[in-house]
């Protein structure tokens, strides 16, 4: 399952374009992480109460991007050792013996605007820091 969104803060993006590419990428990585963390937190709240260990396993992970100008994050249950993420899709989509109790898709839908706001806020805070650092 993949979720994507575009940030449309024209003045923020215009200010960001004044910086070198490596700083632009670092700022955008932080902004996308901030937005993904909002969705992650909402998903942890929406997990059925009987699966507390599943809530702990929901993480935001940086993924490999297809292009150099792309920053990609996933909000997903981790499936490592002692993690409950391996059964998340059973709860999200249901099985033949259990009805679906979606938590990840509704979390995205409920916090989509908050996520974009968090990313814009991060960029707005980070740009002045980068200006001061470059002087």
């Amino acid at each position: 399952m993949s979720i994507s969104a575009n940030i449309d803060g024209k003045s923020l993006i215009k200010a960001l374009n004044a910086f070198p590419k490596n700083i632009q990428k670092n700022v955008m990585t932080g902004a996308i992480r901030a937005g993904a963390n909002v969705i992650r937190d909402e998903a942890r709240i929406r997990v059925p109460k009987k699966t507390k260990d599943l809530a702990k396993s929901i993480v935001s992970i940086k993924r490999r991007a297809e292009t150099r100008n792309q920053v990609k994050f996933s909000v997903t249950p981790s499936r490592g050792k002692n993690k409950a993420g391996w059964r998340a899709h059973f709860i999200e989509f249901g099985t033949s013996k259990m009805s679906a109790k979606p938590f990840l898709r509704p979390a995205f839908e409920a916090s989509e605007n908050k996520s974009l706001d968090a990313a814009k806020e991060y960029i707005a805070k980070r740009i002045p820091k980068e200006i001061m650092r470059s002087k």
Side-chain angles (χ1 to χ4, degrees), residues 91-133:
I91 296 168
E92 180 79 15
F93 299 109
T95 65
S96 62
K97 300 180 191 244
M98 180 180 84
S99 62
K101 296 178 185 129
F103 60 93
L104 200 51
R105 289 172 291 164
F108 172 72
E109 292 167 2
S111 61
E112 184 176 10
N113 291 332
K114 291 182 210 170
S115 175
L116 293 174
D117 290 341
K120 289 177 187 177
E121 186 178 312
Y122 179 89
I123 293 171
K125 286 181 182 176
R126 181 82 186 264
I127 287 175
K129 288 181 183 177
E130 292 299 331
I131 291 172
M132 293 303 291
R133 214 180 268 175

Side-chain angles (χ1 to χ4, degrees), residues 39-102:
I39 296 170
R40 178 201 64 200
D41 295 342
E42 183 68 26
R44 285 179 177 174
I45 291 168
R46 290 176 177 264
V47 170
K49 301 302 177 213
K50 292 181 180 178
T51 57
K52 290 181 184 175
D53 51 342
L54 176 58
K56 292 177 189 174
S57 74
I58 298 173
V59 294
S60 57
I61 301 171
K62 185 174 180 187
R63 300 288 185 185
R64 179 173 290 166
E66 286 98 32
T67 65
R68 295 176 68 206
N69 297 330
Q70 190 179 37
V71 179
K72 198 175 201 180
F73 273 83
S74 261
V75 176
T76 183
S78 60
R79 297 182 185 107
K81 187 177 179 182
N82 299 326
K83 299 289 184 182
W86 63 271
R87 60 188 163 127
H89 64 284
F90 298 128
I91 296 168
E92 180 79 15
F93 299 109
T95 65
S96 62
K97 300 180 191 244
M98 180 180 84
S99 62
K101 296 178 185 129

